[in-house]
Amino acid sequence: MHKAGSKIRAWREAQDPPLSAEEFGRRYGVPDAWASRTVYGWEAKGKIARPSAQKRLAELGICRPEDWLEASDRPSSPADPAPGEEAGRHPFYDRRTHGFVRLATSTPKVRTADVAYNTAGILEEARRADTQGVDLLLYPELSLSSYAIDDLHMQAALLDAVDRHLSEIVAASADLSPVLVVGAPLRRNGRIYNCAVVIAGGAVLGVVPKSYLPNYREFYEKRWFARGHECVGLTIDAGGAEVPFGVDLIFAARDLPGFVFGVEICEDFWSPIQPGTRAALAGATILLNLSASNITIGKSDERHMLSRASSSRSVCAYAYSASGYGESTTDLAWDGQGMIYELGDLLVESVRFDREPELCIADIDTQRILNDRMRMGTFNDAAEADGRPEDWYRRITFAQRGEVGNTGLVRPIRRFPFVPNRAHKLDEDCYEAFNIQVDGLTRRIEATGAQCLVLGISGGLDSTHALLIAAKALDKLGRPRSDIRGYTMPGFATSERTKGNAWRLMEAFGITAEEIDIRPAARQMLEDMDHPFAASEKGEGEPVYDTTFENVQAGLRTDYLFRLAGHHSGFVIGTGDLSELALGWCTYGVGDQMSHYAVNAGVPKTLIQYLIRWAERTNQFDPSVDAVLEDILATEISPELVPADAEGEIQSTQSIIGPYELNDFFLHHVVRWGHKPSHVAFLAWHAWKDVAEGLWPIGFPEEGKNAYDLRAIAGWLNNFLKRFFAFSQFKRSALPNGPKVSAGGALSPRGDWRAPSDAVAEVWLAELRENVPIEDL
């Protein structure tokens, strides 16, 4: 805990009345930047504020910039990390155990052509990064000399100063944990190269020259620099030693698998063929771009586009750092933009046009990158087509340094990875998800020539969402909604609330609605089977609510729907969702696992909940429909197959198979990325241990926000692994047709997931037991 955090809390508590973290942020912070979780992170989690926030807090007289680097002298408070769980020494708590690399971009202090001043700025940022556990630190292009100095690049006095001060940086790096990637002009054989110098542990590891030199519009780099695109297998004098030089270098940590990075410089990633792409094909999981890049209107968007595309196309993390305040403004201006992308996802971005130095930090999941490359055959085919760069690239190794143990996780983690959460495209993403289902069903209706759609309406989430899709499909085809035949089929545990909602929903949509009481048929079947429940109904024993009792009801409902579809020349729309298929929470064959078209099979429960809220919020249907949707969303998720107990407690799905919000989190990371269970548990713990941290979907209701400790997460993950790997595949292998909706994956045996039905889960269960510090799993 740093001194700044304790000062902020003390200041808040000293106000009259004391200010909550939320009120403090709202009253004194930058709008939309100091949320309560931000303030809480400063006070209790040891997070370092951005320079702009540090400056604001200093102006308010609350704390000074140096307080962020000094330890607090106050005792631990209940809001601080507990010494047992969070500060544990078990390898599980160390991000490096799971392949995370802490990457940062830096916009240091710069003064035009003042090499000594620039060196001091570079080292100041390096020391600050060291205190924050950074593993890899990226500076802008020509950060040692400064970029916009024109013909001064060819002055021997300046180049000599670069050589001297580079040695100073190299010497200082012996006491610093980050690998430093610094921009500098270096001489070799009578030429000057625009270079990235990679420094670690008191030595220069290697030097990478710029391949493509811009010489158009405001750029004149060919006037000063030689191209480096054909420099392969060479060496150069740098930092007092002869070191590897060329575009054929990647750098790898010996003791952290996955920590492998390559370098390109500014214009390189504006070129049609990026040098960094080849470095990725050679094995680099992280690409770094040292950039100067003056700012013009719209250029920030262009950088984002290229960085995002680079991280996606090269299946890697991509960090970009542009020159900032202090460069010459003779004819240009500089905004100091830094950003880090991973597989197309923006992890963090700097504050632009800031006069103060800034670190932009994120933890990179190298295992996620490597797992995706294993799945993407095209990436490996490209490496083969390019002559297998890994065979001729020079791999420069270094020892990973820095603090071992729980250093937290600096990374946005979505609690609901299947749920759209881009603020500027929220409606568009929800519309797309919704209409993927609508379009799939519309095409199936046209292909079959069905006279009607048959749908069981329970008053629960899944059948409600299926009805919304069916109604939109018929609207799109210009057919009356009365062509939907909806049936509510009460059983032994159906509540008046869900049955009432089913009728309200059907009436609001104007579909053909009927009710079939399945209890007489279920009693007859149970009696024919000599089931104990039938005897108990006659007063001849205790009621038994076993799997047979449940499946008789589930099977009868499906049986009725299929016969009704044949009777009315229609087809049955399946209502079961992706989460239920993952967990095997469905009755096989003549049951809710089967239908003519499984419209919800690609949609997990958490997304269904969100899409129903979206349909209501955006007035996709009539107000009469919206009123019912509100009540359905507020209803406990239950199959309603077992009657309530003596205390009135109903059968709760989530108490049996686990919270859907956790199960969907597990499903996404296991199916989409193939993560090990301990890796999934690590991510889930950081996502769910504190409601004030992590990313909630936009508009998520406050009353629905939950937190889970590691024991709960590991316990439910253990349950998920058993059900997913050892219990449920035979149901997925016989899955009806249905559209894939999310890039997170689907479970159709004709699509994303193919697996044997008789597999066992021991490998995954053992990995969880051995690597997560929870006993009795």
Side-chain angles (χ1 to χ4, degrees):
M1 186 63 239
H2 46 62
K3 186 176 288 187
S6 61
K7 284 188 172 182
I8 293 169
R9 178 175 296 161
W11 192 88
R12 284 196 303 104
E13 294 173 349
Q15 303 308 299
D16 187 17
L19 291 177
S20 67
E22 182 178 6
E23 178 61 26
F24 171 72
R26 184 166 54 245
R27 187 177 301 182
Y28 296 103
V30 179
D32 301 323
W34 292 10
S36 59
R37 62 178 176 272
T38 305
V39 177
Y40 179 80
W42 296 340
E43 295 181 1
K45 303 295 183 182
K47 294 189 175 180
I48 309 293
R50 289 181 172 181
S52 56
Q54 292 186 25
K55 181 180 178 182
R56 173 67 174 149
L57 291 162
E59 290 171 348
L60 293 168
I62 298 173
C63 59
R64 300 171 300 171
E66 54 266 32
D67 292 333
W68 299 92
L69 303 180
E70 294 184 32
S72 172
D73 53 6
R74 71 174 179 85
S76 175
S77 77
D80 288 323
E85 187 176 60
E86 288 211 85
R89 295 184 179 275
H90 192 282
F92 171 84
Y93 297 101
D94 189 336
R95 58 182 167 80
R96 295 184 181 92
T97 300
H98 309 281
F100 286 94
V101 174
R102 185 156 296 171
L103 171 60
T105 67
S106 170
T107 308
K109 292 178 180 177
V110 176
R111 194 155 64 193
T112 309
D114 189 339
V115 181
Y117 182 89
N118 297 344
T119 298
I122 287 168
L123 290 176
E124 180 181 331
E125 287 292 275
R127 294 184 183 106
R128 196 152 68 96
D130 181 72
T131 65
Q132 298 185 53
V134 170
D135 300 311
L136 179 59
L137 181 58
L138 172 67
Y139 293 93
E141 181 180 14
L142 296 173
S143 48
L144 191 52
S145 60
S146 60
Y147 177 84
I149 59 175
D150 299 335
D151 287 356
L152 301 186
H153 283 302
M154 295 188 291
Q155 289 289 312
L158 181 130
L159 294 172
D160 286 348
V162 166
D163 291 342
R164 287 196 308 274
H165 286 89
L166 179 60
S167 295
E168 180 184 340
I169 295 171
V170 172
S173 73
D175 299 320
L176 299 171
S177 62
V179 178
L180 310 178
V181 183
V182 177
L186 298 181
R187 291 166 289 187
R188 185 183 187 279
N189 285 352
R191 301 181 184 92
I192 308 172
Y193 291 91
N194 182 339
C195 297
V197 185
V198 181
I199 304 166
V204 175
L205 300 180
V207 176
V208 179
K210 188 172 183 176
S211 292
Y212 296 98
L213 303 176
N215 220 62
Y216 53 88
R217 295 197 296 271
E218 64 263 48
F219 302 108
Y220 298 92
E221 287 193 31
K222 288 184 180 179
R223 180 180 175 94
W224 313 302
F225 301 118
R227 288 186 65 187
H229 67 296
E230 291 185 349
C231 294
V232 176
L234 303 177
T235 61
I236 192 172
D237 289 330
E242 187 175 359
V243 301
F245 174 73
V247 294
D248 59 338
L249 304 181
I250 57 175
F251 304 87
R254 291 189 292 272
D255 45 359
L256 181 51
F259 185 4
V260 186
F261 68 91
V263 181
E264 58 186 15
I265 302 173
C266 200
E267 185 73 10
D268 290 349
F269 96 139
W270 263 279
S271 68
I273 301 175
Q274 293 178 234
T277 300
R278 182 164 285 164
L281 294 175
T285 57
I286 300 169
L287 296 182
L288 307 179
N289 189 309
L290 303 84
S291 182
S293 184
N294 63 297
I295 186 62
T296 56
I297 296 171
K299 199 169 187 180
S300 173
D301 290 342
E302 187 177 1
R303 296 170 186 154
H304 272 292
M305 175 189 69
L306 292 169
S307 296
R308 182 183 182 193
S310 296
S311 73
S312 295
R313 185 177 291 112
S314 296
V315 194
C316 66
Y318 197 93
Y320 177 91
S321 180
S323 297
Y325 187 81
E327 285 284 358
S328 171
T329 56
T330 299
D331 290 300
L332 304 172
W334 317 87
D335 64 334
Q337 184 167 26
M339 65 185 95
I340 300 174
Y341 276 87
E342 179 185 297
L343 302 180
D345 297 330
L346 177 62
L347 300 186
V348 67
E349 180 181 9
S350 67
V351 176
R352 295 165 60 217
F353 301 105
D354 199 332
R355 295 183 61 187
E356 298 299 321
E358 182 174 3
L359 289 177
C360 190
I361 302 174
D363 288 337
I364 301 303
D365 190 344
T366 63
Q367 293 307 303
R368 179 178 182 240
I369 292 167
L370 291 171
N371 287 350
D372 206 33
R373 287 181 179 179
M374 288 192 299
R375 284 160 174 70
M376 190 178 178
T378 303
F379 180 88
N380 298 297
D381 289 346
E384 295 287 337
D386 198 45
R388 290 178 55 86
E390 65 184 271
D391 292 343
W392 54 271
Y393 257 71
R394 289 177 285 173
R395 180 175 285 235
I396 312 301
T397 62
F398 58 92
Q400 173 58 44
R401 297 148 62 89
E403 181 183 354
V404 175
N406 178 16
T407 56
L409 191 65
V410 184
R411 178 184 178 85
I413 305 177
R414 293 170 61 184
R415 288 177 171 85
F416 294 81
F418 288 104
V419 174
N421 204 47
R422 298 187 298 171
H424 64 296
K425 285 186 173 283
L426 185 61
D427 283 345
E428 181 181 328
D429 289 346
C430 290
Y431 170 87
E432 196 168 56
F434 195 82
N435 280 279
I436 288 170
Q437 294 178 269
V438 171
D439 192 69
L441 181 57
T442 301
R443 178 70 187 106
R444 185 52 58 100
I445 293 169
E446 289 182 322
T448 60
Q451 294 182 20
C452 68
L453 307 179
V454 176
L455 184 60
I457 307 295
S458 68
L461 291 168
D462 293 346
S463 64
T464 295
H465 186 62
L467 179 55
L468 302 186
I469 300 300
K472 277 293 184 185
L474 290 185
D475 291 350
K476 191 173 182 179
L477 291 169
R479 291 178 55 171
R481 291 179 181 175
S482 57
D483 284 354
I484 301 172
R485 303 189 67 90
Y487 296 88
T488 181
M489 292 177 280
F492 296 116
T494 301
S495 67
E496 289 301 316
R497 179 177 183 177
T498 54
K499 188 173 109 172
N501 281 339
W503 270 108
R504 288 171 62 202
L505 196 62
M506 292 189 292
E507 290 167 353
F509 273 107
I511 68 173
T512 301
E514 295 185 37
E515 181 175 320
I516 297 175
D517 188 344
I518 66 167
R519 287 172 293 186
R523 286 192 186 94
Q524 183 62 56
M525 183 176 288
L526 290 166
E527 186 171 344
D528 292 344
M529 297 168 62
D530 197 25
H531 189 275
F533 176 81
S536 70
E537 287 245 302
K538 299 176 182 179
E540 299 174 2
E542 293 295 322
V544 174
Y545 304 132
D546 56 8
T547 301
T548 302
F549 175 79
E550 295 187 39
N551 285 350
V552 162
Q553 296 173 78
L556 275 171
R557 286 178 175 136
T558 302
D559 200 0
Y560 271 117
L561 292 175
F562 270 97
R563 303 320 140 220
L564 288 162
H567 183 57
H568 294 289
S569 301
F571 68 83
V572 178
I573 299 176
T575 61
D577 63 53
L578 182 66
S579 307
E580 293 176 341
L581 288 167
L583 295 157
W585 191 250
C586 50
T587 301
Y588 181 74
V590 185
D592 53 335
Q593 177 264 349
M594 187 51 62
S595 63
H596 288 119
Y597 192 67
V599 74
N600 285 344
V603 191
K605 189 79 74 178
T606 51
L607 180 54
I608 282 178
Q609 291 172 312
Y610 199 76
L611 289 177
I612 292 174
R613 288 192 182 98
W614 171 81
E616 178 192 354
R617 180 175 58 81
T618 57
N619 301 314
Q620 296 292 312
F621 300 99
D622 300 331
S624 58
V625 172
D626 294 344
V628 192
L629 297 182
E630 275 288 336
D631 201 15
I632 290 170
L633 285 165
T635 302
E636 171 74 28
I637 299 173
S638 171
E640 292 195 325
L641 295 171
V642 174
D645 60 21
E647 284 75 39
E649 286 291 320
I650 66 168
Q651 186 182 21
S652 171
T653 297
Q654 296 184 95
S655 67
I656 300 169
I657 62 173
Y660 275 116
E661 54 195 15
L662 285 184
N663 283 321
D664 284 357
F665 187 96
F666 303 153
L667 173 64
H668 175 85
H669 289 282
V670 167
V671 171
R672 175 62 184 90
W673 304 112
H675 284 322
K676 295 182 292 187
S678 60
H679 193 109
V680 177
F682 181 76
L683 288 170
W685 178 61
H686 278 284
W688 289 96
K689 63 189 174 72
D690 188 337
V691 294
E693 295 185 355
L695 297 177
W696 291 99
I698 296 167
F700 195 86
E702 287 293 326
E703 64 276 9
K705 293 181 178 180
N706 298 313
Y708 301 94
D709 62 19
L710 183 58
R711 175 168 291 280
I713 289 167
W716 288 123
L717 178 54
N718 188 68
N719 183 70
F720 173 87
L721 297 172
K722 290 177 182 176
R723 298 189 69 97
F724 184 79
F725 286 106
F727 172 75
S728 308
Q729 183 57 42
F730 75 100
K731 299 181 182 182
R732 298 189 288 266
S733 296
L735 186 64
N737 297 163
K740 177 179 177 178
V741 174
S742 169
L747 294 175
S748 168
R750 300 166 295 277
D752 283 358
W753 185 256
R754 296 164 177 82
S757 295
D758 52 0
V760 295
E762 290 311 308
V763 167
W764 293 269
L765 295 172
E767 199 282 335
L768 183 69
R769 286 194 304 269
E770 292 165 7
N771 296 299
V772 177
I774 298 295
E775 297 179 358
D776 306 322
L777 283 177

